[in-house]
Amino acid sequence: GALKQRDDIAVYGKPAEQDLYQCQHKALFEGLVKQCLEGSVAVDVFLAPSANSYIDVTTMGYVPQRTGGDVFYYNSFAAAEDGEKLHYDLARAVTRNVAFGCVFKLRVSRGLTPVQLVAPWPPDGGFDHSMCMVPRFSCDTTIGIVFVHDDQVGSAKNLYIQTACLYMNIFGKRFIRVQ
């Protein structure tokens, strides 16, 4: 379906403003997300609207967010001024180091508990705060993990955090990286 313009300054600062940040036609895009996740495909989107043009970045960015992709946005795009940046962003997106089909696992010392994953994509419903799956990690991807600790930590001499990422390179070879 067609996207409708919904940038309404009258709803700014009101509860209805939250609707501006929700994906339009979510069911349509969920089908695409499911196909991408099954094939370990990440989607990048390049948005370059001309001056005074409306584009729904929230909706257009839904699939990249869910698949580990990126959104590149060039406000009031003019080829003469923005063409070189678009060229370099596109070249970087295609040539940077990436890992596909990633399964990320975290192990920690007794007394530490991961409680939240802060990442560019939403966690799966079965997320246990120590594991996540994403179609792509790029060399530009950053995640954070929030920990809580209990009283056992105070008596421990050392605390340990270990991460492991099972992934596939661009040539289809599987690797595991442990830190």
Side-chain angles (χ1 to χ4, degrees):
L3 298 177
K4 58 185 177 202
Q5 182 163 342
R6 55 189 183 159
D7 189 21
D8 184 4
I9 199 165
V11 299
Y12 289 177
K14 297 179 180 154
E17 182 180 7
Q18 293 178 14
D19 295 339
L20 298 177
Y21 308 113
Q22 301 300 317
C23 177
Q24 295 184 50
H25 309 292
K26 193 171 186 176
L28 171 75
F29 289 109
E30 273 299 324
L32 180 58
V33 166
K34 184 178 180 204
Q35 288 179 334
C36 290
L37 293 175
E38 287 171 357
S40 291
V41 173
V43 176
D44 287 339
V45 174
F46 291 81
L47 305 173
S50 59
N52 300 321
S53 294
Y54 173 78
I55 190 162
D56 189 345
V57 178
T58 300
T59 299
M60 299 307 295
Y62 184 74
V63 174
Q65 178 197 28
R66 300 276 299 156
T67 63
D70 295 310
V71 176
F72 298 87
Y73 179 69
Y74 309 91
N75 191 29
S76 300
F77 182 81
E81 291 92 32
D82 303 316
E84 187 173 358
K85 177 151 177 52
L86 174 61
H87 167 80
Y88 285 112
D89 286 347
L90 185 58
R92 172 109 175 114
V94 174
T95 60
R96 66 184 167 188
N97 291 326
V98 293
F100 295 98
C102 303
V103 178
F104 178 83
K105 180 68 176 160
L106 177 72
R107 294 184 353 175
V108 296
S109 296
R110 183 170 292 143
L112 283 178
T113 305
V115 294
Q116 182 182 5
L117 173 72
V118 181
W121 61 87
D124 289 338
F127 181 72
D128 68 359
H129 301 295
S130 69
M131 181 179 159
C132 68
M133 294 183 283
V134 67
R136 179 185 76 189
F137 276 170
S138 76
C139 58
D140 299 324
T141 303
T142 303
I143 65 171
I145 300 169
V146 178
F147 296 96
V148 296
H149 60 84
D150 59 25
D151 294 335
Q152 295 177 7
V153 173
S155 63
K157 185 174 182 179
N158 296 308
L159 295 174
Y160 299 97
I161 299 172
Q162 181 184 52
T163 61
C165 183
L166 176 66
Y167 66 96
M168 183 172 44
N169 71 5
I170 197 166
F171 303 108
K173 191 172 179 184
R174 292 296 254 172
F175 293 92
I176 187 165
R177 182 170 185 142
V178 180
Q179 298 279 3

